[in-house]
Amino acid sequence: MSLSQMNELSKQGEDDVDPRERQGLLEDLEEVAAGVASSPPRSPEGACPSPTAREAVPLSQPKEECPSNEDEAGRSTREDPEDAESSQKEALRLKMGGLVAFLLLKYRTKEPASRSEMLSRVNKEHQDHFPEILSRASRCLRLLFGIEVKEVDPSNNIYFLGTTLGLTYDGGHCMPKTGLLVTFLCLILLEGDCAPEEEVWKSLNVMGLYDGREHRIYGEPRELITSVWVREQYVVYRQVANSDPARFEFLWGPRAHAETSKLKVLEYLLNLKSKNPLSEVAQRHEEEEA
């Protein structure tokens, strides 16, 4: 598997989402991320909002006007099936974003999440789509933030959130950066355990990360990768021997080797394409209640 193939896997949402919708999902999630980061009240360290701040998380909503009854009736009679499908997708996308925000706060407060709590974030008219919403939300949490949603108590429908691949680092602030760290470790592995810096930046650019440009979730990427992650011993950044002009490369650091393994990372890559097991769990609950 090449770096370019890794990029495609990293950028994917659900396989059945077209590129424009996927971009909209990511844009909404970035707004959710900014909302969680700025939601009051904060802890004394300023790290994250308290549980009472859950409802304060802003999420972009479509701008609404107040049409007359006549206009509303006219639109309803003219709405074609394609418009109805588009409206449904937009509604599900917003519900998914709201669920992501809720689960991020659950992660930060280290609280489990119940299925009933998650359902309460979804309007009754969309609860039939809950398995799909949960599947998309969990996939976005995994890829964007490096958070796994696992059902730990099936009898009571309780879920717990933890970092991907057993890594103990998440950035120490409201926006977990484990997702990017996992992607970075994957990139190094796919380059034969030693990734040239220029190739890594090509991949990061495709993902919307640029040297010297602040990212809404991850901050300035060069500082994060070559300073923070090197200091945390997840990454080794070194000059290529005998290179003139100087070139640099990335390797796994000792902490990465201690907390995860190449086998786990390869399994993670393979699972990116597979169906999210949480969708099957949620679907099973739907069938049991029917």
Side-chain angles (χ1 to χ4, degrees):
M1 186 181 292
S2 65
L3 282 176
S4 61
Q5 289 172 314
M6 176 61 202
N7 286 335
E8 292 303 314
L9 288 173
S10 299
K11 290 177 1 181
Q12 279 185 359
E14 292 297 313
D15 291 340
D16 58 345
V17 179
D18 64 49
R20 288 175 299 177
E21 184 181 354
R22 185 177 299 125
Q23 182 61 32
L25 285 170
L26 292 176
E27 288 173 357
D28 277 352
L29 286 174
E30 287 189 353
E31 293 189 20
V32 168
V36 174
S38 60
S39 294
R42 293 177 180 270
S43 66
E45 294 80 12
C48 61
S50 71
T52 58
R54 290 190 182 100
E55 303 304 328
V57 178
L59 178 66
S60 61
Q61 298 286 347
K63 292 183 179 179
E64 296 182 359
E65 297 179 354
C66 297
S68 66
N69 291 337
E70 182 179 350
D71 290 341
E72 187 67 36
R75 267 204 306 273
S76 63
T77 57
R78 292 194 301 269
E79 188 175 33
D80 59 34
E82 289 186 2
D83 290 338
E85 182 181 357
S86 177
S87 297
Q88 176 75 354
K89 285 184 177 181
E90 176 68 10
L92 293 180
R93 179 162 65 87
L94 291 172
K95 294 303 173 187
M96 184 277 290
L99 184 57
V100 167
F102 168 72
L103 291 173
L104 275 174
L105 287 170
K106 282 289 189 180
Y107 168 77
R108 273 306 176 199
T109 55
K110 301 186 184 303
E111 298 176 358
S114 68
R115 183 168 176 272
S116 60
E117 286 179 311
M118 290 189 281
L119 278 170
S120 70
R121 266 67 187 174
V122 180
N123 292 344
K124 288 185 178 180
E125 61 183 294
H126 296 120
Q127 289 190 356
D128 288 345
H129 298 278
F130 178 71
E132 177 186 0
I133 294 170
L134 177 58
S135 175
R136 291 187 177 196
S138 62
R139 187 174 179 88
C140 285
L141 281 166
R142 181 187 304 115
L143 293 176
L144 197 58
F145 299 108
I147 296 174
E148 296 288 344
V149 184
K150 298 181 179 180
E151 189 177 34
V152 294
D153 185 353
S155 61
N156 293 307
N157 303 330
I158 301 297
Y159 298 78
F160 190 77
L161 293 92
T163 50
T164 300
L165 297 178
L167 298 174
T168 58
Y169 169 89
D170 67 4
H173 300 289
C174 274
M175 291 299 98
K177 298 176 176 62
T178 318
L180 182 59
L181 176 58
V182 169
T183 298
F184 200 81
L185 295 177
C186 290
L187 293 174
I188 295 172
L189 181 61
L190 294 175
E191 279 291 308
D193 300 331
C194 185
E197 182 177 18
E198 58 272 21
E199 293 301 319
V200 168
W201 280 110
K202 287 179 184 178
S203 297
L204 294 177
N205 290 169
V206 172
M207 296 163 59
L209 292 158
Y210 299 91
D211 187 1
R213 184 184 301 181
E214 193 79 9
H215 189 273
R216 199 166 187 175
I217 295 174
Y218 305 124
E220 202 287 301
R222 175 170 289 278
E223 169 70 16
L224 178 64
I225 295 166
T226 64
S227 179
V228 177
W229 289 350
V230 169
R231 185 171 64 249
E232 294 288 341
Q233 298 189 332
Y234 280 109
V235 171
V236 171
Y237 180 56
R238 70 184 187 188
Q239 183 175 344
V240 176
N242 302 318
S243 60
D244 185 19
R247 292 182 294 107
F248 292 84
E249 58 191 5
F250 295 99
L251 299 85
W252 280 26
R255 188 171 170 188
H257 285 288
E259 293 182 357
T260 191
S261 67
K262 295 177 183 179
L263 178 59
K264 288 181 179 179
V265 171
L266 290 173
E267 289 175 345
Y268 171 84
L269 287 170
L270 292 174
N271 289 334
L272 285 182
K273 277 275 190 180
S274 67
K275 184 178 180 181
N276 191 323
L278 277 179
S279 63
E280 298 176 352
V281 171
Q283 184 65 49
R284 187 182 72 241
H285 290 318
E286 293 288 330
E287 293 170 354
E288 289 174 352
E289 293 184 356

